[in-house]
Amino acid sequence: MDTQNLMEKIVALCKRRGFIYPGSEIYGGLAGTWDYGPAGSLMKKNLKDLWWKEMVQVRDDVVGMDSAIMMNPKAWEASGHLEAFTDPLVECKICHQRFRQDKQAEIEEHERTHKDQKVEWTEAKQFNLLVKAYLGVVEGKQSEIFLRGEITNGVQVNFKNILDSTRVRIPFGVAQIGKAFRNEITPGNFTFRSREFEQMELQFYIKSDPEEGKKWFDYWKEERMNWYTSLGIKKENLRFKDHEKLSHYAKAATDIEYQTPWGWDELMGIHNRGDWDLKRHGEFSGQDLKYRDPFTGEEYLPWDIETSAGVDRSFLFFLIDAYTEEDGRVLLKLNPKLAPFRAAVFPLLANKPELVEKARKIYLDLKQNFMIAWDERGNIGKRYAAQDEVGTPYCITVDFQTLEDDTVTIRDRDSAKQERVKISDITSAIR
Ligand code: GAP
C-alpha cells in the first residue's frame, strides 16, 4: 500500500468510525484543530489513563499535577519561550504561502507544485509559536497572555508548593497531562502537527550532577520506549534519535521516533533540562526555589529529566501501527487496553424480542465494568466488520442456543474465531 493511500485510508476510517473529525468542520474547519469523536475520546482516555497508571499510580516516586493553561506572562519570559520558542519561517515569493525553512521535504514538495517556475524564497525570519490571548473585562486594559506552548512550566512554577505540601524527596517526579497550543506555521500530516494538542509529561527532579543526569536520562529513555512496545507498537517501527540542535532549555535531548508513512518522525522527547527552569523562575520571581537535602542540609537547584509525549501523536501512531488489511477485512489490532470498547454485544436477530432482551441484560451488566458497544443493525457480518474497524477485541452474540443453555459466542477480532462461553464466564474471558 503506498503511503499517501494509507494515510487517506486512516483519515477516512477515523471519520467513518467516530475516532477523529476535522475541527469545526461545518464552518469549513480551522487549520490545525481536530475533534475526537465517540470512539476517539474513549481511546484517548484509555491512553491517558494507562500512562497515568504507569507514571503515577504504580510508582512511589512520582506525584501528579493539573496546572492552569493560562499563566502570568512573566512565566513565559522566564522560561525563555518569548525569546526562543521560534521556528524559521520563509515565504514563497510566487504564491506567498509560508513554510518552515527547516522542513526540507515540505519545501521541496511545494517547489514541485510550481512546475515550470523557479521558486524564490524570502529570507528566513524567526516566528514565535506562542498563541496570544487577551484577558480582562475592560477594553483597552486587557492584558495580553499566552496559551501554554508546553505544559512543563505549570509544574516548574509549583516546585516549591509541591515540596511544601507533600513528602517527596529527590529523586522524584511530577507528572501532568494537558493541552498545549502552538501557532505552527504548517500544521499537517493529520493530527501529527496540530495547533492545539495534548501532552503527557514527567518532570523528574534529581541531584544536580552530570552522572546522575546521564543515569536518569538513560533510565527514562528505556522506560518510555518499553511503554510503547508493551502496548503493541512494533519494535522495528521505533528508534531513538539524538537531537543535533538542542532547545534553549536542554543539556541533552533524544527523541523516540516512529516510522510513519511519511518517514521517521518524532513521537516524543526525553530531555535533560538541567536547572534551567528552576533557575530562571527563581530569578524572575525573586523566590528561592532551592531544594534542601533533609539528611545533609545541602541546598541546590535540582536538575530536571523530562519525558514529553504528545497524546495525539501517540494516539495516531498506535492507530497506524494497528491498521491491518487481512483476508478482505480492515481491522485495528489495538491492544485491548487501548481499544475504545472491550467488547460488543449483539442479539443474533433484532426482531426476536427474547434474544434482544437477553442480550440487553448481558450488555448492561458488562457495562458496569467495561466500555461495551451495542449493535443490532443489519446482518451479523456487517456488525463484525464495523467492530473490527473500531478495534473491538471481542464480539459477543446471543443466539437461540443462549436461550437453552445460557451460553454465548465470543468472536476474537484478530483470528475471527468463535468460542462458546457461559454467560457467567464472559467477564473473566474478556478481562
Ligand atoms: N516540554 C518539552 C516539549 O514540549 P517538544 O519536543 O516541543 O518538547 C514534546 O514537544 C512532544 O509534544 C512532541 O514530541 C510531540 O509528541 C508533541 N508535540 C509537539 N508539538 C506538537 C504539535 N504541533 N502537534 C502535536 N503534537 C505535538
Side-chain angles (χ1 to χ4, degrees):
M1 197 184 325
D2 73 60
T3 54
Q4 174 78 10
N5 204 351
L6 173 62
M7 277 317 285
E8 277 169 15
K9 285 180 176 178
I10 286 175
V11 173
L13 183 146
C14 278
K15 181 145 189 242
R16 181 168 74 243
R17 295 295 173 201
F19 281 97
I20 302 175
Y21 313 124
S24 329
E25 193 182 14
I26 61 168
Y27 291 105
L30 179 69
T33 66
W34 299 94
D35 296 332
Y36 287 76
S41 59
L42 290 174
M43 175 164 154
K44 202 181 192 203
K45 183 168 185 310
N46 290 343
L47 173 61
K48 291 191 284 182
D49 287 350
L50 285 164
W51 186 90
W52 191 262
K53 182 172 179 196
E54 163 123 346
M55 291 302 236
V56 184
Q57 186 184 325
V58 302
R59 296 189 69 99
D60 67 353
D61 56 356
V62 175
V63 294
M65 256 213 78
D66 184 6
S67 66
I69 287 177
M70 299 186 291
M71 297 179 77
N72 186 310
K74 263 195 177 167
W76 297 111
E77 210 184 322
S79 71
H81 282 75
L82 282 188
E83 200 186 312
F85 194 48
T86 56
D87 278 335
L89 179 150
V90 288
E91 191 174 299
C92 166
K93 286 191 179 172
I94 301 171
C95 67
H96 304 291
Q97 269 200 67
R98 294 169 164 200
F99 291 87
R100 265 175 70 171
Q101 191 198 32
D102 56 344
K103 295 286 172 196
Q104 199 51 38
E106 289 169 31
I107 295 266
E108 282 168 16
E109 196 184 315
H110 182 72
E111 286 178 346
R112 280 195 290 275
T113 64
H114 287 296
K115 288 187 185 112
D116 306 327
Q117 287 166 288
K118 166 132 184 53
V119 174
E120 285 187 39
W121 296 96
T122 57
E123 285 286 302
K125 65 174 184 210
Q126 291 304 322
F127 176 78
N128 195 294
L129 303 184
L130 285 177
V131 176
K132 285 181 188 160
Y134 298 91
L135 201 63
V137 290
V138 184
E139 214 167 315
K141 291 210 170 151
Q142 293 168 322
S143 52
E144 184 182 87
I145 59 157
F146 305 95
L147 302 185
R148 60 186 180 191
E150 59 171 10
I151 63 172
T152 325
N153 285 281
V155 171
Q156 310 288 11
V157 300
N158 279 294
F159 180 71
K160 202 86 195 151
N161 279 334
I162 292 166
L163 285 184
D164 293 345
S165 58
T166 68
R167 303 174 67 82
V168 291
R169 296 272 180 272
I170 295 274
F172 74 90
V174 185
Q176 173 161 244
I177 300 178
K179 291 266 185 177
F181 304 83
R182 294 184 189 178
N183 207 354
E184 295 284 359
I185 297 167
T186 45
N189 284 329
F190 198 19
T191 58
F192 175 80
R193 203 183 306 136
S194 310
R195 289 185 168 141
E196 173 178 338
F197 55 97
E198 241 176 320
Q199 294 183 309
M200 323 184 265
E201 286 195 346
L202 173 75
Q203 310 304 322
F204 197 77
Y205 297 103
I206 59 165
K207 272 200 90 157
S208 50
D209 170 64
E211 274 189 22
E212 281 286 290
K214 166 105 182 55
K215 181 180 97 186
W216 286 109
F217 190 76
D218 290 344
Y219 170 85
W220 282 112
K221 271 173 64 176
E222 290 307 317
E223 283 289 296
R224 298 329 300 141
M225 180 65 100
N226 291 343
W227 189 70
Y228 285 104
T229 53
S230 72
L231 283 174
I233 294 204
K234 296 172 200 82
K235 274 202 175 94
E236 63 270 24
N237 286 339
L238 292 170
R239 70 174 187 192
F240 291 115
K241 179 91 191 299
D242 290 342
H243 281 207
E244 281 153 23
K245 185 174 163 278
L246 292 174
S247 300
H248 62 277
Y249 51 73
K251 279 183 184 303
T254 299
D255 285 339
I256 295 181
E257 291 192 335
Y258 179 74
Q259 183 147 45
T260 73
W262 59 91
W264 286 99
D265 217 334
E266 177 183 343
L267 163 57
M268 65 162 297
I270 299 104
H271 314 124
N272 179 345
R273 295 178 78 112
D275 63 4
W276 165 268
D277 302 273
L278 294 180
K279 191 160 157 226
R280 295 274 295 193
H281 287 303
E283 282 166 14
F284 279 70
S285 66
Q287 306 278 320
D288 179 7
L289 300 184
K290 283 203 237 28
Y291 173 80
R292 187 168 189 281
D293 188 296
F295 304 110
T296 64
E298 187 193 353
E299 290 197 346
Y300 60 91
L301 284 174
W303 283 13
D304 172 23
I305 307 298
E306 170 187 69
T307 73
S308 178
V311 174
D312 311 80
R313 273 187 202 180
S314 304
F315 184 112
L316 178 62
F317 296 158
F318 276 120
L319 256 176
I320 294 175
D321 221 67
Y323 183 88
T324 310
E325 291 182 7
E326 213 169 69
D327 305 329
R329 292 195 292 152
V330 172
L331 62 157
L332 292 183
K333 288 189 174 174
L334 289 169
N335 184 306
K337 293 179 187 163
L338 275 174
F341 300 99
R342 180 58 61 94
V345 177
F346 315 143
L348 182 65
L349 299 171
N351 58 1
K352 296 283 174 206
E354 61 278 32
L355 293 183
V356 174
E357 198 184 317
K358 191 94 183 164
R360 199 88 198 143
K361 169 139 187 13
I362 294 171
Y363 165 69
L364 293 174
D365 283 351
L366 290 175
K367 267 172 87 70
Q368 298 301 315
N369 292 309
F370 307 97
M371 276 310 303
I372 303 289
W374 170 264
D375 199 354
E376 56 180 27
R377 300 162 308 168
N379 64 42
I380 199 95
K382 280 201 177 135
R383 296 183 213 159
Y384 285 152
Q387 293 304 325
D388 284 346
E389 284 200 358
V390 187
T392 307
Y394 308 106
C395 289
I396 298 162
T397 303
V398 168
D399 54 17
F400 291 103
Q401 192 176 327
T402 313
L403 304 178
E404 287 162 21
D405 64 4
D406 266 350
T407 63
V408 293
T409 63
I410 300 190
R411 172 195 180 262
D412 176 82
R413 176 195 65 201
D414 298 348
S415 66
K417 293 217 168 79
Q418 294 182 29
E419 226 186 295
R420 277 212 95 84
V421 170
K422 282 200 191 120
I423 291 175
S424 54
D425 291 340
I426 297 176
T427 296
S428 58
I430 67 172
R431 192 178 289 285

